[in-house]
Every structure is written in structure tokens, then in C-alpha cells.
Amino acid sequence: MSEVNTKKLLTDPLDDNNPITVQVLGVCSALAVSGSLKNALVMAVAVTFVTAFSNLTISLLRNYIPSRIRMIVQLVVIAFLVTLVSISLKAFLFDLSKELSVYVGLIITNCIIMGRLEAFAIGNKPVDSFLDGVGNGIGYGLILVIVGFIRELFGTGALLGFTFFGEEARHGIDFLKHGFFNDFFHNGLMVLPISSIFILGILIWIQRSRNAELIDIS
Amino acid sequence: MSKFNTNSNGYTLGFLAVMVIIVGGALAFISSSLEDRINDNQELDRRKKIMKAILSLSEDQENEVLTKEFVNAEYQGKVTGVLINYAGEVVEETIPVKYDFRKEMKDNNKAKEDKLYPVYIYDDNEGKVFVYQMIGNGLWDEINGFLALEANQQTIKGVAFDHVGETPGLGAEMVKNKFREQFYGQSLFDVNGNYDFVVYKSGKLPSGGKGVDGLAGATITTDGINDMIRKTKDNYINYISSAN
């Protein structure tokens, strides 16, 4: 019984209870940071780390936190972890920290983290909360990576710095170089954050049409 | 449940105080213990950009050659930094540690004529290279970089750019070799010594037939780069002409 539940904690947020497409949390950063696949991947790892450990901390403290200042305490824990990530990136992965610049600090305002603390960690056991954090972080990251993949590929014709489409396709596969892909023009809309709204909308549409549990009967 | 009354005022205040002390103390400790490492990284990043501008390597070479050891050895062995004033006279033979280029350029209380500017001189016995520091505005945030001129103070040896938040895939392409290579060997001045250099809107070659093709889809970043180079020329013009 408990094994099934543990597994569900990790898999639920990937589909049935995805933080972005179902809970509609953390959309703001999904729009901003999904411009390139690399940024999306790093952001996914950073957010997973922060959700998992803030869930764990709050769950451990849940019986000691005065309920009137509950949210302040949550915010302090989140801010502490994010500052930790930010300082460590600067010290150990300097080039990456330059590329992510302000986005790391913005993890603090990512509503998924606060949302999971309020909805789950404040009333559940530490191990479960930790897994819930990991699951939601991965669920968030999954959407971010899908959107980042589509945006970078069609916006710049490249992925992770390797060009596939367009005249500059240096690393492209041979048949792509000589085929109609040479005529590919970068889609300027895809580079702008607003394209994520369309991509996210389409993702939600696809998900709802396939998943019977999400069909809105109201 | 806990044995305390977690809703009393005293408990709440005590909880806050303990929390702030623990979190504040931990962050202060981590920050100060990693400070040296972070400063080293920033200094290495700056030196790397200067070497990038001087050596004008290809992208593959850059990844291979510009290691930490190489950059530090080369910088310490062959680069001298001096501070000059607007008139082009050397005021400091070395660049003081507390000199902050960004702060100096953004200081609105000082006129251009009162500011001090850094020059990095690279000497490898085959002729000097002069490196000038640049700062400007892109579309979203600051852009900056280094401009290296050959010993004749006319021809661009190389450039290095950096940015804070330009659009990935468009403006952010300014750091790529594909864009930077166009600068190599171009002259900043015409035969009469007048400034004659432009980074033009992508695909819109000016009538003079000379310049650097801007970034496709990033007109404002392109204009920002153009302005930044012109402004840098203005800052250093007296030094550049006195060296000739």
C-alpha cells in the first residue's frame, strides 16, 4: 500500500497532477526561461533541488511552525535554498551562472515551491514531502524542457548550440544540409516568451484530450 | 503534536529570532567562505575576455587554448594595464585593485573629461596590441566587452563581447565567433583619420561598402554594439591619436 503511494508521489506530477499543465503553477517562469534547452535543463535541476529540500525542511518543522507566520517561514526557507544555489553556481559553475543571470534569483518567486509547501509539506511526513518535491520539480522540468526544445529548435534552428536547420547548419546531418531544410527561416516568434503561451496551451489541450481523468465535466 | 503552544506571541517571536539567526549565520558563513573563489572566477572571466580579444582565435581553438593556466600565465607575463585620463596621458602605471570600470563609466557626476580609462597593452615581441574596455546598452540590459587594436591603433585585432540578458538566439549571438570574426582586420578610421566604422543592421550594407553585418533579428542589440564602439572610440580618441 505504502509502496504504491510512494510511487504515485513521484509519477503523479508528471501527468495527472502536473504542476504547470494541471495545477497551473509556475507558468510565469515557464514562459521566461524556456528560450533555450540548456537554460530549461539547468532551471529544472535547480527548481527540483529547491522544491525537494524546502518540502523536506518545512515538513520536518511542520509541528513547530507558528501558524500565523507560516508563510514567512516558508519564504525564508525557500530564499535560503535559492541563495545557496545561486552562490554555489557562481563559485563552481561560473559560466552557467552568467548565462542564467537573474533567473536563479527568480526561483524564489516560483509559485510551485510555495504551492507544494502549502498544499503538501505542511501536513505530511518528511520522506513523502521530499518525494513530492522531487516529483513536482521533475514534472515542472519536463514541461520546461519540452517547451525549450520546441522554442530553441524553431526559433534559432539549433539545439544546445548545435545548428540543425538553416544555411549555417554546420553540425547538421548530411541529408538535412542539402534538403529543403536549407530554406528554413528562423521563426522570430518562437524566440519571444509569448510563444510559450501557445505551446503550453497546445500541450494542455493534447494532455486533456488523452487523459480521461482531466476531462472537465462541470 | 508539539508540547508548546505554538500560537503564543512569545513563541512566535522566539521562533522568528532563532530562525533569522540560524539562516543569516549560515548564509554569511557560506558566502564568505566562497567569496575568494567567486572573485577568482570573475577575474579569470575578465582576463579570458581580454585574451579572446587579443588572440582572435577560432571557436574550436578558443575552447582548447583558453584554459585557466594559459590565460593567467599569458596575462601575467605579457599584459600591462595602465589607467589613462581623457587627454590620453597615463596617470597610473598599474590599474588599482579598487578601480571599478562600470562604476566609473556610470558616474553621472563626472564629465567624460574627468574620468579615468583602463588600457591593456599586450606585448609578445611581435608588436604591441592595445585593448580598450567597452560598456553600453543592449535591448534588455548592459552589454560590454573589449576592443583590441593593432600597434598602428587603426586596425581591429579582435573583439570580445559579453551581455547580461540579451535574447537567446538573437542578441545573445553577439558573443559567438561567427559575429566577432567580421571585426578582425577592419579599420576604425578612413585614410584621413576620420572615424569610419559601422555595425549595420543585418543585410543593410551601407553605401561605403564597409563595416560589420549586424545580428539578424536583433536590431536594437546591433545598434547598441555600434554605439558602444563609437563611444569607446570617443573615450580613448586622445590616447589613440597621441600614440600614432
Side-chain angles (χ1 to χ4, degrees):
Chain A
M1 181 67 197
S2 88
E3 203 179 321
V4 177
N5 278 340
T6 315
K7 203 180 151 210
K8 266 193 104 57
L9 283 175
L10 280 171
T11 54
D12 246 17
L14 299 185
D15 186 6
D16 288 357
N17 198 16
N18 188 285
I20 298 184
T21 58
V22 180
Q23 300 174 45
V24 201
L25 290 174
V27 176
C28 8
S29 63
L31 302 186
V33 205
S34 54
S36 72
L37 190 54
K38 189 177 167 195
N39 289 0
L41 282 168
V42 178
M43 194 68 178
V45 173
V47 168
T48 307
F49 171 83
V50 176
T51 39
F53 284 95
S54 62
N55 262 7
L56 177 68
T57 319
I58 291 297
S59 177
L60 284 170
L61 292 171
R62 70 188 187 282
N63 293 331
Y64 304 100
I65 298 172
S67 61
R68 274 181 297 174
I69 56 162
R70 189 177 81 241
M71 291 199 144
I72 299 175
V73 176
Q74 290 168 358
L75 213 51
V76 170
V77 171
I78 297 169
F80 171 74
L81 288 167
V82 171
T83 314
L84 199 66
V85 170
S86 171
I87 294 178
S88 330
L89 278 179
K90 273 193 195 128
F92 301 105
L93 293 167
F94 186 75
D95 290 335
L96 207 57
S97 80
K98 254 175 54 189
E99 219 158 296
L100 289 172
S101 62
V102 295
Y103 295 129
V104 174
L106 286 177
I107 297 176
I108 295 176
T109 59
N110 190 320
C111 17
I112 292 174
I113 303 169
M114 196 92 169
R116 290 326 293 170
L117 292 180
E118 271 291 291
F120 198 90
I122 204 85
N124 283 284
K125 294 205 183 91
V127 177
D128 292 349
S129 300
F130 183 78
L131 292 175
D132 178 77
V134 174
N136 275 282
I138 296 173
Y140 166 81
L142 188 69
I143 300 295
L144 213 61
V145 167
I146 294 174
V147 178
F149 178 88
I150 297 173
R151 283 183 60 190
E152 188 176 0
L153 189 60
F154 293 104
T156 67
L159 275 180
L160 296 172
F162 294 101
T163 313
F164 287 104
F165 293 163
E167 340 167 9
E168 315 106 63
R170 279 186 300 138
H171 302 281
I173 311 159
D174 253 356
F175 77 84
L176 288 180
K177 276 190 201 164
H178 305 297
F180 65 91
F181 289 106
N182 283 1
D183 301 330
F184 173 80
F185 274 90
H186 299 171
N187 184 337
L189 178 69
M190 283 294 170
V191 180
L192 300 175
I194 196 151
S195 65
S196 318
I197 295 182
F198 301 121
I199 299 172
L200 268 185
I202 293 168
L203 282 179
I204 293 175
W205 180 23
I206 295 172
Q207 193 192 8
R208 299 220 163 184
S209 68
R210 296 173 60 93
N211 191 333
E213 293 199 10
L214 297 176
I215 291 170
D216 195 350
I217 47 161
S218 59
Chain B
M1 286 305 289
S2 97
K3 41 196 177 292
F4 312 106
N5 171 12
T6 56
N7 283 321
S8 75
N9 286 343
Y11 181 83
T12 305
L13 286 173
F15 189 94
L16 272 180
V18 172
M19 180 181 71
V20 167
I21 290 167
I22 292 176
V23 170
L27 278 182
F29 173 75
I30 294 164
S31 164
S32 61
S33 52
L34 290 177
E35 197 183 6
D36 287 345
R37 229 193 140 92
I38 293 173
N39 287 342
D40 283 356
N41 282 340
Q42 279 165 345
E43 173 64 13
L44 178 68
D45 185 58
R46 195 181 62 88
R47 290 180 179 185
K48 219 180 217 173
K49 275 187 268 181
I50 294 176
M51 294 316 299
K52 257 188 194 179
I54 294 169
L55 297 177
S56 42
L57 302 164
S58 76
E59 197 163 352
D60 296 338
Q61 285 172 320
E62 262 176 19
N63 295 332
E64 208 172 291
V65 173
L66 292 178
T67 59
K68 186 177 174 182
E69 293 73 27
F70 176 81
V71 169
N72 282 335
E74 194 81 344
Y75 185 89
Q76 278 157 359
K78 296 178 184 167
V79 176
T80 355
V82 295
L83 269 189
I84 60 159
N85 60 16
Y86 183 70
E89 299 150 356
V90 175
V91 254
E92 301 264 9
E93 294 291 343
T94 53
I95 296 176
V97 184
K98 62 172 199 267
Y99 176 79
D100 183 344
F101 177 71
R102 176 176 296 109
K103 219 164 148 192
E104 182 85 359
M105 291 305 116
K106 300 222 157 147
D107 189 348
N108 292 326
N109 298 323
K110 270 190 193 170
K112 181 163 84 174
E113 287 76 12
D114 301 327
K115 288 181 181 173
L116 298 176
Y117 305 90
V119 180
Y120 299 92
I121 301 157
Y122 174 83
D123 198 346
D124 68 346
N125 302 325
E126 288 173 22
K128 287 179 176 174
V129 178
F130 296 87
V131 183
Y132 304 111
Q133 196 164 0
M134 310 187 278
I135 190 164
N137 296 313
L139 171 58
W140 304 112
D141 210 321
E142 178 193 310
I143 53 176
N144 53 51
F146 292 93
L147 174 71
L149 295 185
E150 282 175 12
N152 66 8
Q153 296 272 27
Q154 303 254 342
T155 318
I156 298 176
K157 178 81 170 48
V159 282
F161 293 119
D162 205 352
H163 66 96
V164 178
E166 296 309 290
T167 320
L170 300 176
E173 297 288 298
M174 69 193 287
V175 301
K176 296 271 174 74
N177 286 53
K178 187 170 167 286
F179 175 64
R180 288 165 38 216
E181 273 163 10
Q182 302 181 77
F183 289 80
Y184 303 171
Q186 296 243 22
S187 175
L188 276 188
F189 304 95
D190 65 9
V191 281
N192 302 319
N194 297 318
Y195 183 67
D196 178 28
F197 182 78
V198 65
V199 183
Y200 54 86
K201 185 173 154 66
S202 182
K204 301 259 160 61
L205 187 69
S207 53
K210 181 172 168 284
V212 165
D213 190 13
L215 298 157
T219 308
I220 296 178
T221 310
T222 302
D223 288 348
I225 297 170
N226 188 39
D227 285 348
M228 175 166 80
I229 292 171
R230 205 191 51 241
K231 225 166 56 191
T232 307
K233 182 271 302 179
D234 288 344
N235 291 342
Y236 288 104
I237 188 68
N238 292 321
Y239 182 79
I240 290 176
S241 37
S242 70
N244 274 334

